[in-house]
Amino acid sequence: MTTRYKMTLAYDGHLFHGFQSQPNQRTVQGTIEAALKKMTKGQDVSIEGSGRTDSGVHALGQVIHFDYPGTRIPPERMIRALNSIMPLDIVFKKCEIVDESFHVRYSAKGKWYRYHVSLDRFVDPFKRFYTGHYPYPVNLEKMQQAATDLIGTHDFTSFAASGGQIKNKVRTMYYVNIQKDEQGNEIVFDFICSGFLYNMVRILVATLLEIGNGKRPVDDLPRVIAAKDREQVRETAQANGLFLYHVFYEDIPKKYRLDKD
Amino acid sequence: MTTRYKMTLAYDGHLFHGFQSQPNQRTVQGTIEAALKKMTKGQDVSIEGSGRTDSGVHALGQVIHFDYPGTRIPPERMIRALNSIMPLDIVFKKCEIVDESFHVRYSAKGKWYRYHVSLDRFVDPFKRFYTGHYPYPVNLEKMQQAATDLIGTHDFTSFAASGGQIKNKVRTMYYVNIQKDEQGNEIVFDFICSGFLYNMVRILVATLLEIGNGKRPVDDLPRVIAAKDREQVRETAQANGLFLYHVFYEDIPKKYRLDKD
């Protein structure tokens, strides 16, 4: 008898070699599975993540599920037990017992990624692991205008790094927001999409920054999307600035459905 | 011929063994002096800091001075040159050429330290190097009330860790502010004082938290101060949460002079 747990967690990605287990590397999955093995006194428990964040990428709202063997542990106790044996760079925030039909990947209706970019010539030392860096002039309005071309259902092949195994690259972008945080002299990008392809957010951010900097015309994105050609865009923003912010298992709230305006 | 530079800098203290140079340890002073030696192509330049922050303690507004040999470099170029060769956990923010009568320690009129404490049971992973931790109930009003007893000129012997070499332990506390940041579930302490003794902020924070938690009466501080006895207070809050926020070379602004109300 096993019990399926759905857990929401945050992690600081800068000391992990990404989410997915790899031999001889410190990974989020490996760290959590080792903790679960301790709790079960030796039984292996594998976890599934909503997505595999890359090396250096952070999470504020990653979601995992796993089937815990033996006696059912109440959610509040499961959180405490795991947090007590976790290293300090992973913290579980929410725990629910779910039906076996629930699956973190297949049940997800969308994901929200956030990306921070510092415009300072020299990055605030406290942000150095948590922000991308673009010390060049950028025009916010141009990026905001260009971003509207991303909304809706498109084949995002041009924005997918090779290495992904998924063939169907059609996704629905529900929401894009680009804001300047004056105090921090940084730009914050938010993307909510039905699903993201490999490196998609980082490629989108790099392309939008090129538009903001005047290296590409404001109306370039429809052309790039139509080309379905990764060679149309070259840059990938660094992993540091990327946060998996939230995974939606409910319908995407109306205020984030710019595709239905 | 040398030119005296006054520079303001921020650093993330978590990978430094404190400010002061020590053999075979990575320190803030050692790192800056190595950079200056590169710039002078081999000449030693020693720096003076406004204070020696401990291992793990951070700075948003540390100030140093040094006498740079040879050709005078304009302040803006000095900042860029140093920032270009600094590791990412130190960033210079301001640079001025000053008279030789200026000294970062002797010319200072006061210092501002800030301390962050997380009240969460498990600390936000992104704050783990930048906050103290007190996962117990605290009464904010009690701490605020007790803090008023610190304002004014007192002998702070009871709040000085042994190891300091300074005999006169009389200081003037100009300003104490304690606030709760609801969003982050943390408490932020600000102290502005004519000067701080060894570990003074961390001992004050630990003592105030004891008052907030009801382990000490609200009116305990006048008694502790009068005792001039370090044995009256035992706890020292962890280094992680402490930031050297600002050093005053101008008169302390009126709004921060609670001693003159």
Side-chain angles (χ1 to χ4, degrees):
Chain A
M1 207 209 72
T2 61
T3 307
R4 182 159 292 188
Y5 289 87
K6 172 193 174 194
M7 296 190 76
T8 307
L9 57 147
Y11 49 82
D12 176 342
H14 97 266
L15 297 174
F16 288 108
H17 284 263
F19 182 85
Q20 191 181 9
S21 277
Q22 288 178 63
N24 306 317
Q25 299 282 17
R26 184 172 189 263
T27 64
V28 176
Q29 183 180 3
T31 304
I32 296 171
E33 289 179 351
L36 285 167
K37 193 166 180 167
K38 245 188 224 170
M39 284 181 59
T40 60
K41 302 200 165 79
Q43 268 186 275
D44 283 319
V45 179
S46 4
I47 68 168
E48 288 278 347
S50 74
R52 297 162 178 176
T53 55
D54 272 341
S55 194
V57 175
H58 315 288
L60 290 164
Q62 170 69 290
V63 184
I64 61 166
H65 83 248
F66 56 84
D67 294 322
Y68 194 80
T71 324
R72 175 176 291 210
I73 299 175
E76 185 49 35
R77 271 193 51 212
M78 178 60 87
I79 284 208
R80 287 194 180 197
L82 274 175
N83 278 337
S84 308
I85 53 177
M86 275 293 133
L88 298 178
D89 41 1
I90 301 181
V91 171
F92 287 96
K93 308 199 135 180
K94 240 176 107 181
C95 177
E96 297 158 71
I97 290 173
V98 289
D99 196 85
E100 302 233 330
S101 66
F102 174 85
H103 188 289
V104 267
R105 258 197 333 280
Y106 311 139
S107 307
K109 298 201 173 169
K111 272 189 199 161
W112 182 339
Y113 273 98
R114 179 168 282 181
Y115 195 96
H116 293 262
V117 184
S118 166
L119 302 176
D120 282 331
R121 186 171 165 91
F122 298 102
V123 174
D124 178 339
F126 298 99
K127 290 187 182 163
R128 69 195 189 284
F129 301 125
Y130 312 113
T131 181
H133 190 204
Y134 197 77
Y136 310 105
V138 285
N139 180 315
L140 184 64
E141 290 69 33
K142 281 187 181 177
M143 293 196 291
Q144 287 166 333
Q145 199 190 319
T148 61
D149 291 329
L150 297 170
I151 300 300
T153 303
H154 306 286
D155 184 320
F156 284 99
T157 298
S158 296
F159 299 98
S162 56
Q165 281 148 29
I166 291 154
K167 293 223 173 100
N168 178 356
K169 293 184 177 167
V170 175
R171 298 290 182 275
T172 302
M173 186 69 79
Y174 299 120
Y175 178 84
V176 181
N177 189 51
I178 310 174
Q179 252 177 282
K180 186 153 187 209
D181 168 10
E182 293 296 342
Q183 219 199 338
N185 197 24
E186 67 174 25
I187 292 186
V188 183
F189 296 80
D190 285 292
F191 300 91
I192 300 175
C193 192
S194 59
F196 288 88
L197 305 168
Y198 189 49
N199 277 356
M200 180 168 150
V201 179
R202 293 163 58 190
I203 298 169
L204 283 172
V205 166
T207 308
L208 286 164
L209 285 169
E210 286 181 339
I211 289 171
N213 187 241
K215 281 187 194 149
R216 281 180 189 271
V218 181
D219 58 359
D220 204 30
L221 293 182
R223 186 190 65 77
V224 173
I225 292 171
K228 298 184 200 169
D229 171 14
R230 173 67 174 107
E231 294 301 310
Q232 295 293 325
V233 291
R234 292 288 175 90
E235 302 295 327
T236 303
Q238 63 190 111
N240 272 355
L242 185 59
F243 292 74
L244 173 51
Y245 190 73
H246 183 70
V247 185
F248 291 95
Y249 294 97
E250 68 281 23
D251 285 327
I252 313 293
K254 256 197 185 154
K255 60 175 170 176
Y256 298 129
R257 290 297 301 263
L258 302 183
D259 62 317
K260 290 205 165 166
D261 271 1
Chain B
M1 206 207 75
T2 62
T3 307
R4 182 158 292 189
Y5 288 88
K6 172 193 176 194
M7 295 191 75
T8 306
L9 57 148
Y11 48 83
D12 175 344
H14 98 266
L15 297 174
F16 289 108
H17 284 264
F19 182 85
Q20 193 181 8
S21 277
Q22 288 178 61
N24 306 318
Q25 300 282 17
R26 184 173 188 263
T27 65
V28 177
Q29 184 179 3
T31 303
I32 296 172
E33 289 179 351
L36 285 167
K37 194 166 179 168
K38 243 187 227 171
M39 283 181 60
T40 61
K41 302 200 165 77
Q43 268 186 276
D44 283 318
V45 179
S46 0
I47 67 167
E48 288 279 346
S50 75
R52 295 163 180 175
T53 55
D54 271 342
S55 195
V57 175
H58 314 288
L60 290 164
Q62 171 69 290
V63 184
I64 62 167
H65 82 247
F66 57 84
D67 294 321
Y68 194 80
T71 323
R72 173 176 292 207
I73 298 173
E76 186 48 35
R77 270 192 52 210
M78 177 62 87
I79 284 207
R80 288 194 177 197
L82 274 175
N83 278 338
S84 308
I85 54 177
M86 276 292 133
L88 297 179
D89 41 2
I90 301 181
V91 171
F92 287 97
K93 306 197 137 183
K94 238 175 108 179
C95 177
E96 296 159 72
I97 290 175
V98 289
D99 197 85
E100 301 234 329
S101 65
F102 175 85
H103 188 288
V104 268
R105 259 197 332 281
Y106 311 140
S107 307
K109 298 200 172 170
K111 270 187 203 164
W112 183 339
Y113 273 98
R114 178 168 283 181
Y115 195 97
H116 294 261
V117 184
S118 166
L119 303 176
D120 283 330
R121 186 174 163 88
F122 299 101
V123 174
D124 178 338
F126 298 99
K127 291 188 182 162
R128 69 197 191 284
F129 301 126
Y130 313 113
T131 180
H133 192 204
Y134 197 77
Y136 310 105
V138 285
N139 180 317
L140 184 65
E141 289 70 32
K142 281 187 181 178
M143 293 196 289
Q144 286 167 333
Q145 198 190 319
T148 61
D149 291 328
L150 297 170
I151 300 299
T153 302
H154 306 286
D155 184 321
F156 283 99
T157 297
S158 296
F159 298 98
S162 57
Q165 283 148 28
I166 291 153
K167 293 224 170 99
N168 178 357
K169 294 183 177 170
V170 175
R171 297 289 182 277
T172 302
M173 187 70 78
Y174 298 121
Y175 178 85
V176 182
N177 188 51
I178 310 174
Q179 252 176 282
K180 187 152 184 212
D181 168 9
E182 294 296 343
Q183 218 200 337
N185 197 24
E186 68 173 24
I187 292 187
V188 182
F189 296 79
D190 285 292
F191 300 92
I192 299 175
C193 192
S194 59
F196 289 88
L197 305 167
Y198 190 50
N199 276 355
M200 179 167 151
V201 178
R202 292 163 57 189
I203 298 168
L204 283 171
V205 166
T207 309
L208 286 163
L209 286 168
E210 285 180 342
I211 289 171
N213 188 240
K215 282 188 193 148
R216 284 179 186 272
V218 181
D219 59 0
D220 204 30
L221 293 182
R223 186 190 65 75
V224 173
I225 292 170
K228 296 183 200 169
D229 172 14
R230 172 69 174 106
E231 295 301 309
Q232 294 294 324
V233 290
R234 292 290 175 91
E235 303 294 329
T236 302
Q238 62 190 110
N240 271 356
L242 185 57
F243 293 74
L244 173 51
Y245 190 73
H246 184 70
V247 185
F248 292 95
Y249 293 97
E250 68 282 21
D251 285 329
I252 312 292
K254 254 191 184 158
K255 61 176 173 177
Y256 298 129
R257 290 298 301 263
L258 302 182
D259 62 317
K260 288 206 166 166
D261 272 2

